[in-house]
Amino acid sequence: MYKVRDIMTSPVNTISLGSSVSQAAEFMKEYNLGGLPVVKDSKLVGIITSRDVRINHPNRIVADAMTKPVICCSPDSTTWDAVALMNEYKIERLPVVEHDKVIGIITEVQMVKHTSRLYDPLTETFNSEYIYQVAFNLLKLGHKISVILLDVDDFGEMNKKWGHVIGDKCLKRIASVLKSVINSKNDFLCRYGGDEFVIVTLRNSEEAMVIAKEVLDKISKINLGNNLSITVSAGISEYREKIHEAEGDYYEATQCLINEASLASTKAKRHKTRIYFNIGSIS
Amino acid sequence: MKNGRGKSPTKRKVGLHIHFSEFDLPPMQDVLLVGRRAPIGPEAVRRMVEALAPGQYEVILIDHTHIEAVAVKTTLFNWISRDELVNTLVEEGDTISNENSLIKAQLDVTMSIFKEVELYNV
C-alpha cells in the first residue's frame, strides 16, 4: 500500500518569511516550481504559490503574501488520504511534515500520475492497490466490511477459443454490470487482476449475498454475440470484529479477507454453486 | 579649435545638486494605511517600525475590502480610544485609497477644555 513517503519529492525547496515576492518568483521560475513552502526556524508557517506571486506586489515580503494556514500531511498518510485532502481543499501542492519540519512535497501532477497507475483503463475501474487502501481505511475507522470476489468461469478457455478481443469485451461488460449494481457510498469496486473483480462493501454478508446474486443474474444475461454467454462464480467473506490492533493488522486483515473470498469463489466454481460464503473465517 | 574631422570637440559638465533634510524616523507619520496589494504588507511594516521605532507603533489587521492593515502610533490611544480611532481612519481612508495604496497620515489631536471654577469672596 502506497504511503505519501513513497511518492513525495524530497528534499524540498523552501523560502524564508523575509524574502520578497519577486525573489520567490525568481526562485520558482529557476527551479520550475509552482509553489514554495515557507519556513521559520525550520518550521512550516505557510506556502507561497504562483497565484500568491501573481496577486501580490513583487516588493512585498513572503510573510505578507503567503497562503496560511497551510494544509499539510504526514509522510505516513496513505496516498488516498493525500488525494482526499487535495480535493477537499482544492490545492495543487501538499507539503509533507514530520516533527514540524517540512520533509517533502507532493503535487497534483504527481498524484494524477500515481492514481493513474492504480487505474485499469480497460474496465475503467481501479486496481487491487485501490481496494487495499479502501479496505484499510474502512477497518481503521472501525467499520465492518464484507468482500465479494467474482471470478469469470473458464475465462482462459474463452480467450483461447474466441480471442482476446472477446475476452476484453467480456471484462468490460462485467465491469459495466458491477458499476450499475453497486452503490458508491457503500460499495467499492476494483478489477483485482486478470478476470477477477473485488467489491469491498459496508454491507453484511446477507446483503452482500443479495448484491452478488443480482450481479450474477445480470451477467448471465450478457450476450457477447454468437450466443456466447458468461458465467461468474462469487466468493464472499466477512469481517465483523472491530480491529484494535496496530495499523499493520488492518492490511493483514484485508489480505485475509480477499484471500478467503478468493478461496470461496474457487469452491463455488468447483461445487457449481455460483456463490460460496466464507463467513467468520477471519479472526 | 577643430579636430581632424572638422568638428568642434564636445564639452560635458555634470551638475550636482544636494538637498539635505532630516530623515523621518520612521519614514511614516502617525498612521500608515496599508492596501491589500500595497508594495509592503503588514508584516513588513511591523518589522520596519519594530526596527526603527521599537514599541511605538501597533500594526492592526483590518477586515476591509481594500485596506489590509493600519499602523498607528500607540501614544494616540491616550487621546482617543483604539476602536474609535481605527474606525475613523478606515472610514476616511476608504474614500481615498485602493488596494495598491500605502498612505501615511498625520493626526493633530487637540483637546479643548472649558471648566468653570467658583470664585471665592475674600
Side-chain angles (χ1 to χ4, degrees), chain A residues 24-225:
Chain A
E26 283 295 316
F27 196 66
M28 286 156 73
K29 189 178 169 192
E30 187 178 345
Y31 292 96
N32 197 24
L33 302 169
L36 283 168
V38 184
V39 292
K40 183 187 180 191
D41 302 329
S42 308
K43 286 187 178 177
L44 180 70
V45 290
I47 187 166
I48 184 153
T49 64
S50 46
R51 181 182 176 275
D52 295 325
V53 166
R54 276 199 307 279
I55 65 172
N56 281 286
H57 194 285
N59 189 65
R60 276 202 168 207
I61 58 171
V62 165
D64 286 323
M66 67 186 184
T67 300
K68 60 182 176 181
V70 58
I71 308 298
C72 57
C73 69
S74 141
D76 294 320
S77 305
T78 65
T79 51
W80 292 104
D81 291 337
V83 169
L85 262 182
M86 292 170 94
N87 286 338
E88 184 182 350
Y89 292 97
K90 295 182 171 55
I91 49 177
E92 294 171 1
R93 272 158 205 84
L94 193 62
V96 185
V97 175
E98 191 172 44
H99 308 307
D100 284 341
K101 289 188 177 174
V102 190
I103 61 162
I105 195 163
I106 48 175
T107 64
E108 194 179 28
V109 174
Q110 276 175 306
M111 291 313 291
V112 168
K113 268 189 192 171
H114 171 71
T115 47
S116 67
R117 289 213 310 263
L118 309 180
Y119 192 70
D120 174 41
L122 175 69
T123 57
E124 296 179 346
T125 58
F126 285 105
N127 62 23
S128 59
E129 176 63 26
Y130 161 79
I131 216 72
Y132 273 100
Q133 298 225 7
V134 167
F136 179 92
N137 284 343
L138 292 175
L139 291 174
K140 195 175 168 185
L141 291 169
H143 292 293
K144 295 167 182 177
I145 61 172
S146 300
V147 171
I148 308 169
L149 189 141
L150 300 125
D151 190 352
V152 183
D153 296 335
D154 303 320
F155 186 69
E157 289 300 312
M158 182 195 289
N159 271 335
K160 280 179 194 164
K161 191 173 177 183
W162 299 96
H164 282 83
V165 172
I166 299 296
D168 287 351
K169 194 175 170 186
C170 164
L171 295 174
K172 276 184 177 181
R173 297 286 295 273
I174 291 172
S176 172
V177 166
L178 289 167
K179 283 184 228 172
S180 72
V181 171
I182 62 168
N183 172 347
S184 60
K185 283 183 183 169
N186 297 323
D187 312 312
F188 306 90
L189 169 69
C190 84
R191 180 183 174 196
Y192 192 75
D195 59 339
E196 291 173 335
F197 291 87
V198 165
I199 299 169
V200 165
T201 176
L202 290 167
R203 302 167 200 261
N204 61 31
S205 56
E206 288 79 20
E207 293 166 334
M209 179 71 148
V210 173
I211 291 286
K213 273 184 179 168
E214 189 181 345
V215 166
L216 265 57
D217 287 343
K218 285 194 171 178
I219 288 174
S220 68
K221 289 173 188 161
I222 295 175
N223 184 357
L224 294 173

Side-chain angles (χ1 to χ4, degrees), chain A residues 17-19 54-61 63-64, chain B residues 34-44 47 68:
Chain A
L17 283 166
S19 304
R54 276 199 307 279
I55 65 172
N56 281 286
H57 194 285
N59 189 65
R60 276 202 168 207
I61 58 171
D64 286 323
Chain B
V34 184
R36 293 207 173 273
R37 294 193 187 186
I40 61 171
E43 178 58 22
R47 290 179 182 204
E68 188 173 5

